[in-house]
Amino acid sequence: MKEMLKKIPSVDLVFNDIQIKEFPLDTNSKLTVIKNTLDQVRQDIFKNKFDDSSSINFIELILNNLFNHKNKLTRVINGTGTIIHTNLGRSVIPKIVLQNIVSSNLGYSNLEYNLKTGKRGDREQFISDALSELVGCEAACIVNNNAAAVFITLNSLLKNKKIIVSRGEMVEIGGSFRIPEIIKHSGVKMVEIGSTNKTHLNDFTNLIEVDEKIRGILKVHTSNYKIEGFTSNVSIDKLSQLKNDNLILIEDQGSGTLIDFSKYTNTEKEETVQNSIKNGADLVLFSGDKLLGGVQAGFILGKKILIDKIKKHQLFRTFRVNKIVLSAVETILNIYKDESRAIKEIPTIRMICEKAVDVEKRVDNFIKRITNKNLKVTKIRTTSTVGGGSMPQSKIESFGIELMVIELGENKIFEYLKSYAIPIISIIKNKKNIIDFKTVLDHDEEILERCLNEWKII
Ligand SMILES: *Cc1c(COP(=O)(O)O)cnc(C)c1O
């Protein structure tokens, strides 16, 4: 019995096992589970429940117990190659953003306290200032997501008025968010214009001339589709020629980027927020966790007089973001002040810009580290996508691994990977099980390696 008790590992040793170290649970809860499990084993040994303690797999036992305590919302490894994956939390939050959320919120904060005057302050002035500096707008405000941005903008500025939307831009995005529905609920009357494939400037001119209730034009980014072939639509700079004191030009950019990606990759062109402002949009709306690469939020920026009106609206408070989001957004916008930092530190941007040869190098290095003889791991070419309703046509050349396990079909492999302590989401394509390394982060690799090397196939 003494010999058996001696084989029980120390709490420290177990805690530092990578699967347990990386297990998505706070340290104190983890330590409690480890101590309780080891105590239980000790008692079972006293009760002569084991013949031989060397057969006990302590890590497995603890992991099983940890699973019962696991948060339901948990980190996963994205092996799908879709960068802004709607089901996997859209953009990965940059590490420094997470660190700053902690440091700014460890105690009270000056959320609505002006440290200069010692009086009440504006909780989001710094966001307006940062965006003005970055994109040259007069002012900006922030709400919970871009859907909210569209709603509150229309409801506070154009209720009971009419707005023109091109038929080619009647977007439905995931989760059945439909532009025409949102417009209806905001109390604004939508006037459709043009045809599915073509809308011309004089379609707008003709309508505006005859209907004085028209007070706005909404241009919507066709996020998740492209109309190809015999097409035309009217750009923001052309539409801005139609503006007058009674007509607001709003652009819902959806993904909204501050970076001109054509400088770094050959993905399809996305108009930047700063260009829309420069080309005459009165207001531009976009998401915080699509191409911006931050957290869920919706930005409204443009003319100060309009932003002030939106912020004064009674409903604005129901859409306002919390202090955690505010500190995240402040950090993100600060990163953008130096574009070279954005490319390195914002995972979404880094992944879009990472060259295929660099992904290939990561794959080659990874494969060398897999020693499990039960698996066959081979390098494979993949096509990654941006996802999240951004750059719908962009196919990014990339690399990944194909996993083959003796006597296991692709679905079994998929299930095994998904049931790992940190679930690994692979893809099945042509009956092959593939992990696309485009979306495998540096700190995911060690876990993946461990998962594959320790896989005992029975
Ligand atoms: C994604 C998107 C939205 C909604 O943005 P959320 O941040 O998901 O609320 C609205 N409009 C367009 C064009 C979009 O692409």
Side-chain angles (χ1 to χ4, degrees), residues 90 145-148 150 171 173 177 179 220-221 223 252-255 287-290 297 388-389:
R90 295 231 284 228
N145 53 29
N146 191 33
V150 176
V171 180
I173 57 162
F177 170 89
I179 284 292
V220 185
H221 183 258
S223 301
D252 172 11
Q253 274 208 347
S255 40
S287 287
D289 58 348
K290 289 184 179 172

Side-chain angles (χ1 to χ4, degrees), residues 98-260:
L98 295 171
Q99 286 161 352
N100 282 355
I101 287 174
V102 173
S103 62
S104 311
N105 293 288
L106 219 43
Y108 293 98
S109 71
N110 63 336
L111 182 65
E112 289 185 5
Y113 183 87
N114 186 326
L115 286 170
K116 271 197 196 121
T117 62
K119 299 212 170 79
R120 186 181 177 147
D122 182 331
R123 56 195 276 139
E124 50 173 84
Q125 185 59 44
F126 63 90
I127 288 184
S128 185
D129 294 343
L131 279 167
S132 303
E133 185 185 329
L134 283 168
V135 309
C137 57
E138 287 177 11
C141 64
I142 180 172
V143 287
N144 275 319
N145 53 29
N146 191 33
V150 176
F151 180 86
I152 191 81
T153 299
L154 296 178
N155 188 263
S156 49
L157 302 178
L158 293 165
K159 194 169 175 195
N160 299 326
K161 306 277 178 2
K162 289 185 182 173
I163 195 165
I164 310 179
V165 186
S166 162
R167 286 202 170 87
E169 298 176 359
M170 301 280 172
V171 180
E172 169 171 332
I173 57 162
S176 65
F177 170 89
R178 285 185 168 162
I179 284 292
E181 289 297 311
I182 289 285
I183 296 175
K184 197 170 94 192
H185 285 289
S186 69
V188 179
K189 193 155 169 32
M190 181 178 74
V191 186
E192 297 178 33
I193 207 175
S195 61
T196 306
N197 57 328
K198 283 207 173 204
T199 304
H200 305 283
L201 189 63
N202 60 8
D203 290 329
F204 289 92
T205 330
N206 296 346
L207 248 176
I208 293 164
E209 272 172 10
V210 297
D211 192 341
E212 61 170 30
K213 273 202 128 181
I214 291 174
R215 292 296 166 81
I217 298 172
L218 177 66
K219 185 167 176 59
V220 185
H221 183 258
T222 54
S223 301
N224 40 14
Y225 64 97
K226 265 265 144 42
I227 298 181
E228 282 195 342
F230 187 59
T231 65
S232 70
N233 61 17
V234 189
S235 62
I236 279 289
D237 56 336
K238 291 244 174 64
L239 289 176
S240 74
Q241 295 166 14
L242 305 174
K243 280 197 306 185
N244 58 46
D245 289 346
N246 287 322
L247 197 76
I248 307 170
L249 178 56
I250 303 168
E251 183 174 13
D252 172 11
Q253 274 208 347
S255 40
T257 174
L258 304 185
I259 288 185
D260 175 6

